[in-house]
Amino acid sequence: MKFGVVVFPGSNCDTDCFHVIKDVIEQEVEYIWHQENKDLSNFDCIILPGGFSYGDYLRAGAIARFSNVMSKIEEFAYNGGYVIGICNGFQILTESHLLPGALIKNKNLKFICSDQYVKVVNNQTPWTNLYSKDEIINLPIAHGEGNYYIEEIQLQQLIDNNQIILQYCDKNGNISEKTNPNGSILNIAGICNKDFNVFGLMPHPERSSESILGCDDGRRIFNSIVKYYLSR
């Protein structure tokens, strides 16, 4: 399986993602520069990494959405290609309308950097099939604009279609305002599109993919997509 990691000016988790794909789960991977307008058909999965693309001026992900590479990624996704957006990548996916909703400033208006318990709400996806339903995992978060918002009608569609994949919680799985680090509606930490080939999440699985880092709960997100892809 071949991955592509997109590099925008301001990306700072691109090398982490590249390392996890190449050295941890041992799959083929290649960087994709944001100005490139090349055919992506030889890739199987595209990663939009975390960081501060284009300095996050105007709004997080708002400028990256218009970079040359994004038109090709939109075409790739609409044709069924697998795309995962992590943190800033999630923001870019909502700005480009590959995922619904928006990421706005955290409720406390401060940048948050911490470990966070997350519940796997839907494990029947290409991205979460190696987790158990309602499993509690620990993933790092680091963002200033991770407060997920969506209109009520669209929120109901997410619920009806089982597109809510991850929710913030405590170590016992309790989902409440107290266990919501940024004010996201329904404690949403990650969602998919209707076809489940596009996945966006604010936590950083690439930062928790090796036990030497203290936790490897995030590794199964990358292993899940490989397992799903190879078993099709």
Side-chain angles (χ1 to χ4, degrees), residues 20-216:
V20 169
I21 300 302
K22 180 177 183 292
D23 301 318
V24 179
I25 69 168
E26 299 180 338
Q27 299 294 313
E28 187 178 0
V29 60
E30 184 179 309
Y31 286 118
I32 302 171
W33 183 235
H34 69 111
Q35 290 180 324
E36 292 187 54
N37 193 28
K38 67 178 184 180
D39 180 15
L40 300 179
S41 61
N42 63 328
F43 291 93
D44 304 307
C45 181
I46 301 297
I47 299 176
L48 299 179
F52 302 91
S53 56
Y54 299 90
D56 274 353
Y57 293 114
L58 298 181
R59 190 175 58 247
I63 300 176
R65 178 257 182 277
F66 294 102
S67 61
N68 285 341
V69 73
M70 284 309 299
S71 61
K72 290 296 183 182
I73 291 175
E74 290 169 19
E75 179 182 332
F76 178 81
Y78 288 134
N79 288 329
Y82 298 96
V83 180
I84 179 172
I86 300 167
C87 196
N88 193 222
F90 187 12
Q91 294 159 343
I92 295 169
L93 289 176
T94 57
E95 290 290 337
S96 61
H97 306 298
L98 286 171
L99 289 174
L103 280 311
I104 60 178
K105 290 186 181 299
N106 298 339
K107 63 181 178 182
N108 62 6
L109 303 181
K110 295 180 179 178
F111 189 91
I112 301 169
C113 183
S114 66
D115 288 339
Q116 173 65 46
Y117 290 107
V118 175
K119 176 179 286 189
V120 181
V121 181
N122 184 353
N123 69 335
Q124 301 297 307
T125 79
W127 313 95
T128 54
N129 58 75
L130 289 175
Y131 296 97
S132 302
K133 180 171 173 51
D134 295 333
E135 181 174 347
I136 311 303
I137 60 176
N138 193 10
L139 300 177
I141 57 171
H143 56 252
E145 296 177 52
N147 183 351
Y148 183 72
Y149 176 79
I150 191 168
E151 296 286 348
E152 188 173 340
I153 293 177
Q154 289 181 298
L155 176 62
Q156 190 58 51
Q157 291 173 343
L158 287 183
I159 296 171
D160 293 343
N161 296 328
N162 296 315
Q163 292 172 246
I164 298 174
I165 311 303
L166 303 173
Q167 284 179 293
Y168 301 113
C169 65
D170 65 16
K171 64 180 180 181
N172 296 313
N174 297 308
I175 294 172
S176 68
E177 186 175 346
K178 288 183 178 179
T179 64
N180 190 342
N182 51 33
S184 292
I185 192 166
L186 286 185
N187 286 46
I188 289 174
I191 62 168
C192 273
N193 65 345
K194 288 183 179 178
D195 294 327
F196 295 96
N197 64 307
V198 180
F199 179 35
L201 71 165
M202 287 311 297
H204 286 268
E206 79 282 6
R207 295 184 185 178
S208 59
S209 289
E210 296 172 274
S211 57
I212 195 173
L213 300 176
C215 179
D216 61 359

